[in-house]
Amino acid sequence: MPKLIVLTEGIEPTSFDLTKEVTSVGRVDDNDITLPHPSVSGSHAELVLRGEDVHVRDVGSTNGTFINGNKVAESPLQPGEVLTFGEVELKIDGPRKAQSHDKHLEQGVRLGNLDDAPKGPAKGFSKKSDKSGKYFVIFGVIVAVVVIAAVAMAWLKFKGG
């Protein structure tokens, strides 16, 4: 059975067994694992058991969820990895998997990754025609002609009258 061992001093209890399919983690008492530290959000993350694998999912925390110093939104965990909620560090304990899970879904974009983005418009897409602009111009011209005709008729009536 996997468990979390608290590495940060002052957090009690010092370990948590992961027995539920989804375990909530946060600062408030409503969570399955309560980490009473100001850097931990009230509802910070979830630990999800998928078979014998443990996955962590950040649920919109303020200070982020990290695995071995890398910020993640969702990721599988390996025994021995350091999981950080805000400033609270924990280590996942359990049998080591033969296959490494080193693919983490990162939260946000690093500035260095922006250089790899494609330049220019995406291929395969074309701009749809905007007919509403044409209709607006036609309607405007018709209104202008009607207004001019009404003014001209009123002017002729008063001048000739």
Side-chain angles (χ1 to χ4, degrees):
M1 168 176 32
K3 72 178 186 177
L4 287 177
I5 300 169
V6 179
L7 302 177
T8 302
E9 291 185 24
I11 305 291
E12 295 293 332
T14 58
S15 68
F16 302 95
D17 292 326
L18 301 178
T19 57
K20 293 176 64 179
E21 186 177 332
V22 177
T23 303
S24 62
V25 179
R27 187 180 65 244
V28 297
D29 290 334
D30 293 346
N31 292 290
D32 300 314
I33 295 177
T34 303
L35 301 173
H37 192 276
S39 68
V40 177
S41 293
S43 179
H44 198 102
E46 293 176 337
L47 297 166
V48 181
L49 290 177
R50 294 182 184 153
E52 293 184 17
D53 293 335
V54 180
H55 292 246
V56 64
R57 179 183 322 137
D58 189 281
V59 293
S61 68
T62 301
N63 293 319
T65 300
F66 299 82
I67 298 175
N68 295 332
N70 297 312
K71 190 171 186 177
V72 296
E74 184 172 349
S75 178
L77 292 166
Q78 282 290 316
E81 288 185 317
V82 176
L83 179 60
T84 308
F85 300 114
E87 296 174 10
V88 177
E89 291 186 338
L90 305 104
K91 183 172 72 169
I92 185 83
D93 191 28
R96 171 70 74 187
K97 304 285 187 257
Q99 192 175 21
S100 175
H101 297 286
D102 58 357
K103 294 182 179 177
H104 302 298
L105 178 59
E106 294 187 15
Q107 194 170 16
V109 177
R110 293 188 178 147
L111 289 177
N113 294 347
L114 295 176
D115 293 333
D116 298 334
K119 307 292 186 243
K123 297 191 190 270
F125 293 97
S126 61
K127 184 178 178 184
K128 292 183 179 180
S129 63
D130 186 10
K131 294 182 180 179
S132 62
K134 289 180 185 176
Y135 294 132
F136 183 74
V137 171
I138 292 170
F139 180 73
V141 168
I142 292 172
V143 169
V145 168
V146 169
V147 169
I148 291 172
V151 169
M153 288 177 60
W155 184 67
L156 289 175
K157 184 174 183 181
F158 289 119
K159 186 178 179 185

